[in-house]
């Protein structure tokens, strides 16, 4: 019978959204055009290699059809899934409703299969064929249903992990209505932040290092202007939703908290972008109401608008008066940058995952000098915690588990300092596991300054599971030391208690490792999570194989043992060697292969965590 801890491991792997297969993709939800699954994937925020193209600039409800194409801009890239709809837009070009209008006809139905959805007003793919172009004809047959429109689509690239949500076409105007006025905030666009001047005319902090502004995840620039002031530029890539913010903090360390913050916040309702001054608190910022831009001009805009969100880029350009904000600028400081959601012009809490936590300059910089900084600071204690936990559970845990479950009968006549091989191996693996977990536990408490608080799952569960695991691995060796003699009547009960705490610790450690690897501070690359996932699956297969092998050889080993007991009873004064177990060569080879693969996987994981 397969041991009980295998089942929770399988459940964990199925539960973890990161491991959903591309075949499970279901595109899409009517209205929002979000993927129904897999939930672990996030939309790509960088420019899409696919476009929704419309030739016509105008249309008349009830009139002629419009040709709409979804096409690849790069011949080497293809898409598989998509959903396409037409939506009404307001006079300023923004979407007025998520409801689909009109009806599509597939002009390539001989090559690609599509179905109508959301009533009959949207169309989506149902085949899995690779596409670089698909053509449709669209018509609004209802003369009374008037309005300017845009076509938009969610497009999933071949492979299933890259997708873009709500990619828009250019607007198509209703000939019966006044023309569109799409000037953003009725003001000219803010020019792209000039990165060629970085390090010469102005100081810059860019992530990733050396990026061109439209492709920077984060960018902050500073330049001393005439008088006692600085021109500041802030920019960030967003997910295309209008209520978003990007913030820059000036700090003595690389941690977000109790620092001066400059926020560039776009309000989707008012369509205005404002700059706020505040202080960072835990995982968000509080605005100092008396120092808002609109109140007393601590920050004065340059020519043109203060800030804008255009496409998926949010950027602001403004002037800060030196001395008007306490702590800005004072000597060498770390620059921290954060981005995330906003509500009615107020920034919300940033997340704890990869790409959600604030980034910080590796070293302190002075705003009085034109530094050109890239990269971001690492949290070395968090990485040390992760490395120790991977070693503890993925190396010593898996190895020690195999020895105690499947290798007790191996090498029956050999001893190491009077102890059987399996016991020596299991004992030493468990001692190392306990030591590494205790050290990792202390390290993370020092890093976070006590108990780590996260306000949403799965991150909220990580410290809770960690404490339960810590208690289990501390209790288990104590139980083992207090275990009575083998012939004592309480020995089976103590063995079951020992097994219970070990199994609970092991089953909780696996999902907790995956949760921990998803923390932004750990900065673990996505492929490392897949490697650990594959390794856990491999370990399960090894255990199942050994379990089946044990069942197949059980009868033969039982007969050998029975014969040995008879011989021992008939010849009490003769030392008779214990019988070698059946299938021992296979088990030795399995142990050797498992050990080699475990070493390789752990080496890769340690390098990935340390170097990322």
């Amino acid at each position: 019978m397969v041991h009980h801890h295998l089942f929770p491991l399988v459940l964990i792997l199925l539960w973890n959204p990161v491991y959903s297969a591309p075949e499970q993709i279901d595109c899409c939800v009517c209205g929002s055009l979000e993927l129904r699954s897999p939930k672990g994937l996030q939309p790509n925020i960088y420019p899409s290699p696919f476009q929704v193209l419309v030739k016509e600039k105008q249309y008349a409800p009830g009139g002629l059809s419009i040709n709409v194409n979804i096409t690849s801009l790069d011949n080497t890239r293809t898409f598989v899934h998509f959903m396409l709809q037409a939506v009404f837009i307001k006079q300023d070009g923004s979407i007025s409703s998520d409801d689909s209008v009109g009806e599509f006809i597939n002009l390539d139905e001989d090559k690609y299969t599509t179905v109508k959805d959301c009533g009959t007003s949207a169309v989506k793919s149902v085949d899995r064929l690779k596409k670089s172009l698909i053509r449709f004809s669209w018509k609004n047959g209802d003369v009374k249903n008037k309005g300017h429109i845009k076509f938009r689509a969610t497009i999933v690239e071949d492979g299933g992990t890259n997708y873009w949500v709500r990619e828009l076409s250019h607007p198509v105007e209703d000939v019966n209505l006044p023309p569109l006025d799409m000037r953003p905030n009725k003001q000219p666009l803010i020019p792209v932040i000039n990165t060629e001047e970085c390090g010469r005319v102005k100081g810059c902090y860019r992530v990733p290092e050396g990026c061109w502004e439209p492709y920077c995840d984060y960018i902050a620039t500073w330049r001393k202007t005439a008088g006692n002031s600085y021109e500041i530029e802030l920019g960030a890539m967003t997910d295309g939703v209008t209520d978003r913010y990007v913030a820059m903090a000036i700090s003595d360390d690389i941690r977000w908290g109790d620092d001066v913050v400059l926020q560039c916040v776009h309000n989707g309702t008012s369509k205005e972008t404002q700059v706020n001054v505040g202080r960072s608190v835990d995982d968000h910022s509080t605005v100092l109401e008396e120092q808002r831009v609109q109140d007393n001009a601590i920050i004065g805009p340059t020519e043109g608008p203060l800030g804008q969100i255009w496409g998926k880029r949010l950027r602001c350009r403004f002037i800060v008066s030196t001395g008007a904000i306490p702590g800005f600028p004072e000597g060498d400081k770390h620059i921290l940058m954060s981005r995330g959601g906003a509500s009615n012009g107020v920034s919300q809490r940033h997340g704890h995952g990869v790409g959600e936590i604030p980034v910080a300059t590796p070293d302190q910089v002075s705003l009085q000098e034109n530094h050109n900084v890239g990269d971001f600071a690492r949290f070395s204690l968090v990485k040390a915690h992760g490395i120790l936990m991977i070693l503890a559970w993925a190396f010593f845990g898996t190895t020690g588990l195999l020895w105690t479950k499947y290798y007790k009968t191996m090498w029956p006549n050999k001893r190491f300092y009077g102890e059987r091989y399996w016991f020596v191996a299991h004992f030493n693996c468990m001692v190392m596991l306990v030591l590494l977990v205790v050290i990792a536990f202390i390290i993370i408490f020092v890093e976070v300054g006590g108990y780590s608080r996260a306000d949403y799952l799965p991150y909220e569960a990580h410290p809770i599971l960690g404490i339960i695991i810590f208690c289990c691995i501390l209790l288990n060796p104590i139980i083992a030391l207090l275990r009575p003699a083998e012939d004592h009547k309480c020995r089976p009960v103590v063995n079951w208690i020992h097994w219970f705490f070990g199994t609970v610790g092991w089953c909780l450690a696996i999902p907790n490792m995956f949760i921990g690897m998803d923390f932004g501070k750990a900065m673990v690359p996505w492929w490392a999570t897949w490697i650990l996932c594959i390794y856990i699956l491999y370990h399960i297969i090894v255990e199942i194989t050994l379990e089946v092998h044990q069942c197949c050889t059980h009868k033969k080993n039982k007969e050998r043992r029975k014969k040995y007991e008879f011989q021992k009873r008939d010849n009490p004064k003769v030392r008779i060697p214990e019988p070698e177990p059946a299938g021992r060569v296979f088990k030795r080879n399995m142990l050797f292969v498992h050990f080699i693969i475990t070493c390789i996987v752990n080496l890769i994981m340690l390098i990935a965590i340390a170097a990322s």
Side-chain angles (χ1 to χ4, degrees), residues 525-545:
W526 64 268
W527 53 264
T529 306
W530 274 104
I531 288 177
L532 184 62
C533 171
I534 293 168
Y535 173 72
I536 296 298
L537 283 172
Y538 162 75
H539 179 78
I540 292 172
I541 293 169
V542 168
E543 287 212 24
I544 293 172
T545 304

Side-chain angles (χ1 to χ4, degrees), residues 389-455:
M389 285 299 189
I390 291 290
L391 272 176
W393 294 105
F395 185 82
F396 292 107
T398 56
T399 305
L401 197 65
L402 284 188
W403 276 97
T404 191
K405 288 178 65 178
Y406 304 108
Y407 289 86
K408 286 184 178 180
T409 59
M410 293 288 288
W411 302 283
N413 300 300
K414 295 182 179 180
R415 300 288 186 273
F416 185 84
Y417 287 95
E419 298 291 347
R420 289 181 179 269
Y421 283 5
W422 78 265
F423 179 79
V424 174
H426 177 71
F427 176 81
N428 282 283
C429 283
M430 293 304 104
V431 167
M432 288 303 300
L433 185 147
V434 171
L435 287 175
L436 291 176
V437 170
V438 169
I439 295 170
F441 197 76
I442 294 170
I443 285 175
I444 204 63
F445 261 76
V446 172
E447 164 67 23
V448 300
Y451 181 77
S452 175
R453 296 186 181 277
D455 53 3

Side-chain angles (χ1 to χ4, degrees), residues 126-254:
V126 291
D127 59 33
R128 298 185 183 278
L129 299 175
K130 297 180 181 180
K131 311 168 184 69
S132 59
L133 170 67
I134 186 167
R135 301 172 301 149
F136 294 95
S137 173
W138 176 88
K139 183 175 182 178
N140 181 5
D142 188 352
V143 179
K144 297 180 180 179
N145 204 10
K146 297 180 180 180
H148 305 305
I149 61 167
K150 281 184 180 180
F151 296 92
R152 64 181 188 178
T154 288
I155 307 169
V156 183
E157 189 172 10
D158 175 38
T161 58
N162 241 355
Y163 73 99
W164 289 261
V165 175
R166 298 182 292 274
E167 289 294 313
L168 291 167
S169 71
H170 69 70
V172 181
E173 297 186 357
D174 187 333
V175 295
N176 302 309
L177 298 177
L180 293 169
D181 183 1
M182 295 178 60
R183 291 176 295 165
N185 299 328
K186 305 300 182 287
Q187 295 175 332
L189 284 173
I190 291 181
V192 171
I193 297 173
N194 189 348
T195 52
E196 293 183 0
E197 297 177 343
C198 290
R200 298 185 298 105
V201 179
K202 58 188 177 184
C204 295
Y205 177 41
R206 294 179 280 175
V207 177
E209 187 173 5
C211 60
W212 180 42
E213 192 262 347
Y215 293 92
C216 291
D217 289 339
Y218 301 90
I219 184 169
T221 75
W222 57 92
R223 178 174 64 89
K224 196 155 187 178
T225 59
N228 202 23
S229 59
Y230 286 84
E231 183 183 67
I232 304 293
E233 297 172 306
L234 299 180
M237 183 74 76
T238 71
D239 54 10
V241 181
T242 54
D243 287 274
R244 288 292 180 260
Y245 82 92
V246 57
M248 166 186 172
I250 311 296
S251 177
D252 292 321
D253 53 40
I254 62 173

Side-chain angles (χ1 to χ4, degrees), residues 291-304:
Q291 292 184 332
R292 290 174 69 97
V293 179
Q294 293 83 352
D295 293 334
N296 56 15
I298 285 178
I299 303 171
T302 56
E303 293 182 5

Side-chain angles (χ1 to χ4, degrees), residues 440-508:
F441 197 76
I442 294 170
I443 285 175
I444 204 63
F445 261 76
V446 172
E447 164 67 23
V448 300
Y451 181 77
S452 175
R453 296 186 181 277
D455 53 3
Y456 63 96
L457 293 173
Y459 306 109
E460 189 178 14
H462 188 73
I464 298 170
L465 293 177
I467 291 172
I468 296 172
I469 294 165
F470 184 73
C471 293
C472 288
I473 65 106
L474 283 186
L475 286 172
N476 229 20
I478 296 172
I479 294 168
L481 289 173
L482 298 177
R483 187 160 43 186
E486 289 189 14
D487 56 353
H488 195 281
K489 64 179 181 179
C490 294
R491 178 68 178 241
V493 177
V494 178
N495 284 344
W496 275 105
I497 295 173
H498 181 71
W499 172 87
F500 173 78
F501 281 111
T503 302
V504 169
W506 169 253
C507 290
L508 293 181

